[in-house]
Amino acid sequence: MSKQRLIRFIILGSLSLFALGGQLQVLKPDYPIRPVDFPQVKLEDEFWAPRLEINRTVTIPYLFKLDEETGRTDNFRLAAGLKKGKHTGKRYNDSDVFKAMEAAAYSLRTHPDQELRNKLDELVAVISKAQEPDGYLFTTRTIDPANPAPGAGAERWSNLRVSHELYNVGHMYEAAVAHHITTGERSFLDIALKNADLLVRTFGPGKRRAFPGHQEVELGLGKLYRVTGNRQYLDLARFFLDERGHYHGGETYPADSPFVIYNSEEYLQNHKPVLEQAEAVGHAVRAAYMYSGMADVSALGGWPEYAAAIDRLWDNVAGKKLYITGGIGSTGEYEAFGADYELPNALAYAETCASIGNAMWNQRLFELHGDAKYIDILERIIYNGLISGVSLGGDRFFYQNPLESAGKYKRSSWFEVACCPANVARFLPTLPGYVYATGGDSLYINLFASGTARIELPGRSVELIQETKYPWEGTVKILVNARPGGSFAIRIRIPGWARNKPVPTDLYRFLDQSEQQVRLWVNRKPVDFKLENGYALLRRKWRSNDLIEIILPMPNRRVVAPDLVKEDAGKFAIQRGPIVFCAEGIDNRGRALNLVLPDGAKLEHWFRPDLLGGVAIITAKALAVDRSTDGRILDQRPHQLMAVPYFAWANRGPGEMRVWLPRTPAAL
């Protein structure tokens, strides 16, 4: 076996042994690179810090309020026998409460709040009473076993591809782990473990053979394994993954279910065994959760074949099915991936939950491989297609995130299917944990935001103080305080967009190449750095008060898609740094769909502290074109175009919007 293969085998799989204190210790497999836990990173920038604060003070309380008003919380009280009545809402509504609880638990890790803590304690007590004696927890069946919500199935586990029984408890597991880590208490964790033990007794080889229609329990089981070390939970996650591609049919669907009109096997990623899948198909959120679960199983279980499978799937998504905003899922009717290069704009679904799943998947791929290309995708997602899902005020939301609108889309205060608001709320408190990572003696700087971090490396503690106005400006200063000082590597991601590559595949390209170079200094002296897997590698003896300075050039860029993306033919998108821009009618005399931006028009950049909480804008001399119903050009006149960041669109009411701007009137 070659040295490289041996190292990979140890990292991804086999149990390794080492001597410590004269005793033989067993090392469990894990990701070779680990993120710095988010409580160790304090963001103090003007971009993320206000969003995290709004999430804490507005969005999370808002979720709990609406869970009460819509009966989601009362479903647990009914199941617990604390109230009388009928189950309210959909069979998957339990998950919305669990996600809100996870968001609250993560928020409490960095911002103690007794009122919020009391709310969590109350809910945990109710959920404990709602749980059946053997660990089963599904409020719609417990409340009225003979008449559960449509799609839930007549008996336990009888309609798993539709019922969401396992999806719900997967979110409970994640919430329970967050609660346990935050509080140190086991009250919620014990509920989760009791349920997980029921699943272990019920499912597996020689037991019940089935898989969850909506992936999520695999992620929750992985987290329970991390907390408890109980291998049965990880083995069950692998079992559920491996069941796909082998069992078809036998379920009953509600009348409004997409299963009755869509290829249900592809919709569920059940058309092939997961290890044989090479094209992303079906429901985009389910797929992204499954790919993340496969990454966990690969890293934690030592099964590298799952990593190989998701590497192939990533090539397909990043190379053929990714929106310029980082969104995935192009067919709105089914919330699913389309064919290769099928990326419609006005009909784009690009669900907020899918962006979150895509971010989680790319983060895990980075932790497996240490390649900056995955963080390039993650950065595109979080600055564009993810935070577009929540309003600047924190209480209005998008379920889908189209790249073009005739004015019919507007932000909603709630949805009957309310997965997206709570999903954003649980993601944002953890965002500081995406900034830094460690692996061996290397410290990775992945994202750029002002703030401080305390990081442990072998034999030393490192404090980083980052100062920047990113994403609006590309200058970044990082003060390094190493105690004790010594030799280790700092790896600074040099974004693809700063190296003339908007995405790490051939899916998109900049229309022109920039000659501006990334520059880097250490202690005021220029450094000729080596680029390794997208990182500037700085290995030296670090001391306290060492200063790193980076300048990432931020020219205003035009991005074009290949001819295979028919919707974007003859058009381009505007990008500056990691931010994708769009034209909104409110800034352009009420229209956006009639605008043409010729190739020669100069793109000007401005910062507007008075607009949308403080954003950059792009202006240019464009054309406003009037066309007849049969496509004839009736008039074209000069127009001063103004474009704003895509994430901020529709915060001033509904109206026309367009990301991909025609280069000529013929492309309108």
Side-chain angles (χ1 to χ4, degrees), residues 214-340:
H214 196 311
Q215 298 90 326
E216 163 59 23
V217 72
E218 301 88 347
L219 295 171
L221 286 166
K223 289 192 175 181
L224 290 183
Y225 167 68
R226 273 197 182 280
V227 168
T228 66
N230 185 341
R231 180 76 178 202
Q232 295 179 97
Y233 301 147
L234 189 64
D235 289 341
L236 183 58
R238 185 190 188 192
F239 169 81
F240 284 139
L241 290 171
D242 287 346
E243 286 293 275
R244 293 181 186 275
H246 300 290
Y247 299 95
H248 308 292
E251 284 73 22
T252 57
Y253 305 133
D256 61 348
S257 171
F259 292 92
V260 300
I261 50 176
Y262 186 83
N263 182 333
S264 63
E265 306 310 332
E266 284 195 354
Y267 186 85
L268 298 171
Q269 294 82 41
N270 186 46
H271 58 299
K272 293 181 180 179
V274 296
L275 296 179
E276 298 176 14
Q277 295 184 27
E279 180 184 359
V281 298
H283 192 280
V285 181
R286 299 174 195 234
Y289 283 11
M290 184 178 87
Y291 304 156
S292 298
M294 290 169 69
D296 286 347
V297 162
S298 180
L300 301 178
W303 296 301
E305 61 269 27
Y306 294 89
I310 55 176
D311 286 346
R312 294 193 302 270
L313 289 158
W314 184 89
D315 287 341
N316 178 250
V317 172
K320 299 176 181 178
K321 299 190 176 185
L322 181 76
Y323 280 104
I324 191 66
T325 57
I328 55 174
S330 58
T331 61
E333 191 173 6
Y334 315 120
E335 306 180 350
F337 289 104
D340 289 349

Side-chain angles (χ1 to χ4, degrees), residues 51 54-55 57-63 389-397 412-413 421 424-425 428 651:
R51 283 168 174 76
I54 288 171
N55 187 66
T57 59
V58 177
T59 307
I60 293 175
Y62 184 78
L63 294 177
V390 60
S391 69
L392 298 176
D395 60 355
R396 294 293 182 272
F397 308 93
S412 175
S413 60
V424 173
L428 284 177
N651 272 276

Side-chain angles (χ1 to χ4, degrees), residues 47-359:
F47 189 90
W48 289 114
R51 283 168 174 76
L52 301 189
E53 183 66 6
I54 288 171
N55 187 66
R56 181 181 76 87
T57 59
V58 177
T59 307
I60 293 175
Y62 184 78
L63 294 177
F64 282 122
K65 173 177 175 287
L66 289 181
D67 280 343
E68 290 284 358
E69 292 178 356
T70 59
R72 285 165 166 79
T73 309
D74 265 351
N75 285 336
F76 289 95
R77 297 188 181 101
L78 293 168
L82 301 175
K83 295 184 71 171
K84 293 187 180 298
K86 295 182 178 181
H87 181 271
T88 300
K90 304 288 188 178
R91 59 196 179 280
Y92 35 73
N93 281 7
D94 292 358
S95 70
D96 297 329
V97 177
F98 295 140
K99 287 197 290 286
M101 294 175 73
E102 182 183 359
Y106 282 141
S107 178
L108 288 172
R109 285 192 72 186
T110 52
H111 292 83
D113 180 327
Q114 192 59 50
E115 182 178 351
L116 188 59
R117 173 66 186 273
N118 292 343
K119 181 65 177 177
L120 272 184
D121 290 345
E122 174 196 349
L123 283 172
V124 169
V126 171
I127 292 167
S128 177
K129 290 183 173 66
Q131 187 172 35
E132 297 186 20
D134 65 352
Y136 187 74
L137 186 57
F138 190 30
T139 62
T140 185
R141 192 181 311 285
T142 303
I143 292 169
D144 188 354
N147 298 287
E155 300 174 351
R156 287 185 184 185
W157 328 120
S158 62
N159 208 31
L160 270 185
R161 301 206 312 181
V162 181
S163 68
H164 286 69
E165 283 164 282
L166 297 180
Y167 169 82
N168 288 351
V169 298
H171 277 301
M172 179 181 70
Y173 298 168
E174 293 203 72
V177 169
H179 179 267
H180 172 66
I181 292 172
T182 297
T183 67
E185 296 179 357
R186 293 186 58 94
S187 53
F188 200 5
L189 181 64
D190 285 342
I191 297 170
L193 296 179
K194 189 175 181 180
N195 182 269
D197 290 341
L198 172 64
L199 299 192
V200 168
R201 294 194 302 271
T202 303
F203 297 97
K207 305 172 190 175
R208 192 180 191 104
R209 307 298 296 263
F211 64 88
H214 196 311
Q215 298 90 326
E216 163 59 23
V217 72
E218 301 88 347
L219 295 171
L221 286 166
K223 289 192 175 181
L224 290 183
Y225 167 68
R226 273 197 182 280
V227 168
T228 66
N230 185 341
R231 180 76 178 202
Q232 295 179 97
Y233 301 147
L234 189 64
D235 289 341
L236 183 58
R238 185 190 188 192
F239 169 81
F240 284 139
L241 290 171
D242 287 346
E243 286 293 275
R244 293 181 186 275
H246 300 290
Y247 299 95
H248 308 292
E251 284 73 22
T252 57
Y253 305 133
D256 61 348
S257 171
F259 292 92
V260 300
I261 50 176
Y262 186 83
N263 182 333
S264 63
E265 306 310 332
E266 284 195 354
Y267 186 85
L268 298 171
Q269 294 82 41
N270 186 46
H271 58 299
K272 293 181 180 179
V274 296
L275 296 179
E276 298 176 14
Q277 295 184 27
E279 180 184 359
V281 298
H283 192 280
V285 181
R286 299 174 195 234
Y289 283 11
M290 184 178 87
Y291 304 156
S292 298
M294 290 169 69
D296 286 347
V297 162
S298 180
L300 301 178
W303 296 301
E305 61 269 27
Y306 294 89
I310 55 176
D311 286 346
R312 294 193 302 270
L313 289 158
W314 184 89
D315 287 341
N316 178 250
V317 172
K320 299 176 181 178
K321 299 190 176 185
L322 181 76
Y323 280 104
I324 191 66
T325 57
I328 55 174
S330 58
T331 61
E333 191 173 6
Y334 315 120
E335 306 180 350
F337 289 104
D340 289 349
Y341 302 108
E342 183 185 352
L343 294 166
N345 294 314
L347 298 178
Y349 207 68
E351 183 181 336
T352 301
C353 283
S355 290
I356 292 169
N358 198 17

Side-chain angles (χ1 to χ4, degrees), residues 377-566:
I377 298 289
L378 184 147
E379 180 182 66
R380 179 169 296 279
I381 297 165
I382 63 174
Y383 278 105
N384 299 290
L386 193 157
I387 56 172
S388 61
V390 60
S391 69
L392 298 176
D395 60 355
R396 294 293 182 272
F397 308 93
F398 274 149
Y399 194 97
Q400 58 214 77
N401 296 270
L403 281 74
E404 184 177 306
S405 172
K408 296 180 181 179
Y409 286 97
K410 65 177 181 179
R411 295 183 180 274
S412 175
S413 60
W414 197 241
F415 308 99
E416 184 181 27
V417 181
C419 51
C420 294
N423 223 356
V424 173
R426 74 179 181 127
F427 178 87
L428 284 177
T430 70
L431 186 134
Y434 291 79
V435 178
Y436 304 105
T438 62
D441 73 339
S442 288
L443 192 163
Y444 294 80
I445 300 175
N446 283 333
L447 301 176
F448 306 107
S450 291
T452 59
R454 298 188 180 277
I455 302 167
E456 297 299 319
L457 287 176
R460 63 181 50 83
S461 296
V462 181
E463 178 190 45
L464 296 183
I465 302 174
Q466 191 174 155
E467 181 182 320
T468 181
K469 293 184 178 179
Y470 199 88
W472 312 124
E473 297 180 13
T475 299
V476 182
K477 295 181 180 181
I478 304 168
L479 189 68
V480 181
N481 289 316
R483 300 184 181 89
S487 179
F488 60 94
I490 293 181
R491 300 173 186 265
I492 304 169
R493 183 178 66 93
I494 306 300
W497 55 258
R499 296 182 281 118
N500 282 311
K501 203 163 179 63
V503 293
T505 65
D506 295 330
L507 182 55
Y508 300 108
R509 64 179 176 86
F510 290 126
L511 188 60
D512 57 345
Q513 296 294 293
S514 172
E515 299 299 324
Q516 299 182 52
Q517 299 294 313
V518 175
R519 290 179 289 169
L520 194 153
W521 294 263
V522 175
N523 295 330
R524 311 292 185 184
K525 295 180 180 179
V527 174
D528 292 326
F529 56 87
K530 175 185 177 183
L531 203 63
E532 187 175 289
N533 292 331
Y535 290 91
L537 174 59
L538 303 178
R539 184 179 292 278
R540 67 192 301 271
K541 290 184 178 180
W542 297 96
R543 301 168 300 173
S544 290
N545 296 316
D546 279 343
L547 179 65
I548 302 170
E549 297 174 274
I550 314 123
I551 292 182
L552 303 170
M554 280 191 176
N556 306 318
R557 310 298 297 272
R558 288 169 162 89
V559 182
V560 293
D563 292 341
L564 290 167
V565 184
K566 298 186 184 305

Side-chain angles (χ1 to χ4, degrees), residues 15-51:
L15 294 176
S16 58
L17 305 174
F18 73 103
L20 180 65
Q23 295 183 346
L24 201 62
Q25 303 290 325
V26 178
L27 288 179
K28 294 179 181 177
D30 208 330
Y31 287 96
I33 299 171
R34 297 296 303 277
V36 174
D37 200 11
F38 69 88
Q40 302 303 116
V41 182
K42 184 177 181 181
L43 299 186
E44 299 168 329
D45 68 323
E46 296 179 358
F47 189 90
W48 289 114
R51 283 168 174 76

